[in-house]
Amino acid sequence: MNVLRNEACASSDQVSNWNSLDWNRCETEVRKLQVRIVKAQKECRHNKVKALQWMLTHSFYAKAMAVKRVTSNKGKNTAGVDHVLWGSPEAKIRAITELKKRGYKPQPLKRVHITKKNGKLRPLGIPTMKDRAMQALYLMALEPVSETIADNDSYGFRKTRNTADAVQQCYSVFAKKTSPQWVLEADIKGCFDHIDHDWLLEHIPTDRSMLRKWLKCGFVFNKELFMTDEGTPQGGIISPTLANMTLDGMQAMLSAKFRNIHKKSLGKQETIYPQVHLIRYADDFIVSGKTKEQLENEVLPLIKEFLLERGLTLSAEKTKITHIEEGFDFLGCNIRKYKGKFLTKPSKDNVKKLYEKVKSIIEANKTSTQKSLIRLLNPVISGWANHFKYTSASETFRYVDYLIYRKLWAWALRRHPKKGRWFISTKYFRTIGKRNWCFAVGTHDKGKAEVMSLKRAYETKIVRHVKIKKEANPFDPEWNDYFKKRETYKMFLKLDSKRTILFMWFRQNRVCPLCGEKIDCDSAWATTNLRIDGQVQRTLVHDSCHRRDIQLKLRLS
């Protein structure tokens, strides 16, 4: 045991330079302990789980990974109440040595507000860099447990799961002729802000003293300190996992109450299917039911009782019971049956939101060049279309393209008020292949004449999403082969038209040769020429590594 502890709690004296850290080894050592935590949890050896969690939170490798996480994500340039950022390699190395439980006291959160789509304000709490790193460290020890005991049909804020999985589960539940016809749309009122602290401290399997400090640290708003008696702050790294674990158990409760009943009638075996299924994404969830009365009189009271124990209540304005042929909005999609045919489309609110974003970009660039406008719009259009390519969105994509075309035509007319429509159409629109009215412009890149055109949403190929298996656990080694095949399939879908890049990815064993870390379908990458084993090869690298390599070569030259 002492040997293992010494190995896990390697001293930071081994490394004095942030850039010389071996991140592959850090990830491997953390992964080993997380695998052991999963094994102990599955065997219900809770004292062993606590011991392994202690080892992980005192490990140098885990501390380094925690500092790396908070200094490389989107919030790395947002400071807390202490106005401290870890920008330099020296500050990051020093931060690793400061992540200690003894004497640790979190500072209050910096309270800011963001506007929700209904016009109300959502409070966010921004911890300091040190508090974020400590939460990230203890989250590494908590996540293997939370993934092992989580509800199978919970898809929000979990590794390897996303909204497409939740929407595909809706298809599995509602698409058949014999599927349930009624849906309870539920939304928890201020979920993060009202979770009972006593319930969290009693049921969350992590260091209680650390959890109590984070829950009770308070927040600063308009230079005034406020105490926190309930809820877990939105903005904290560990908060989404705490919220998920608070709601875990709802599916098991409903399954136990509404299980299939087998009974004999007139000498024949008869099975009664209650058709009650839960699909949850964070604090938004739906429950299917056979009848409206079943959901209203049996399911809803159970859910209210379950939530009340945790200090939570349902939002009256957002909770309603709907027939599947009327349709309902869930995770930005409209889910509905049209004369018995199940279809999932982007919701009207989501289309409106995209149009408003495109409109604001066009109106803010009235005097910009056509090339600049195309560069600004393309990521927005392709990102939105890729998000909904797993739905029946072809018709919606065509409609979105029409709205954008109409706005661009108005943009072009404004630029040339004294010119005719034929002049404007030939200046800004072209025929590319069999496509007419393409918003495009000629460019000269490295002496080559090329055409830069605006992406159309309708160009995005509609594909059927393969839903993740319900029991899949990314921390359990039993599922390693499954996740590897799933990653390969996702990469194949993304690079189907770029077989050369796919070949590079396989040849490099899926890793970036510059940093040694994985390249996956969510990574931003670039291709460059590198000398490998004495030969210059075209290689796939992370986009950030590519830019860093170019800057290094410029400095050396």
Side-chain angles (χ1 to χ4, degrees), residues 462-530:
I462 303 295
V463 294
R464 172 60 62 86
H465 178 71
V466 178
K467 190 178 75 72
I468 191 170
K469 289 187 177 179
K470 293 184 179 185
E471 303 82 10
N473 185 345
F475 297 100
D476 192 338
E478 291 181 7
W479 292 93
N480 284 350
D481 290 340
Y482 169 75
F483 281 110
K484 195 171 182 179
K485 289 177 182 177
R486 188 171 175 82
E487 183 185 355
T488 303
Y489 174 71
K490 285 183 178 180
M491 202 69 170
F492 179 79
L493 285 179
K494 192 165 187 177
L495 297 174
D496 188 25
S497 59
K498 302 174 183 176
R499 299 297 177 92
T500 307
I501 296 179
L502 196 64
F503 171 75
M504 291 181 201
W505 187 63
F506 280 118
R507 186 183 63 194
Q508 299 165 203
N509 293 322
R510 312 171 186 223
V511 298
C512 171
L514 293 178
C515 66
E517 295 188 35
K518 286 183 179 180
I519 295 176
D520 56 27
C521 62
D522 298 322
S523 305
W525 61 69
T527 56
T528 186
N529 290 324
L530 291 179

Side-chain angles (χ1 to χ4, degrees), residues 7-19:
E7 187 179 320
C9 308
S11 171
S12 60
D13 295 337
Q14 296 173 353
V15 179
S16 58
N17 186 0
W18 174 263
N19 296 322

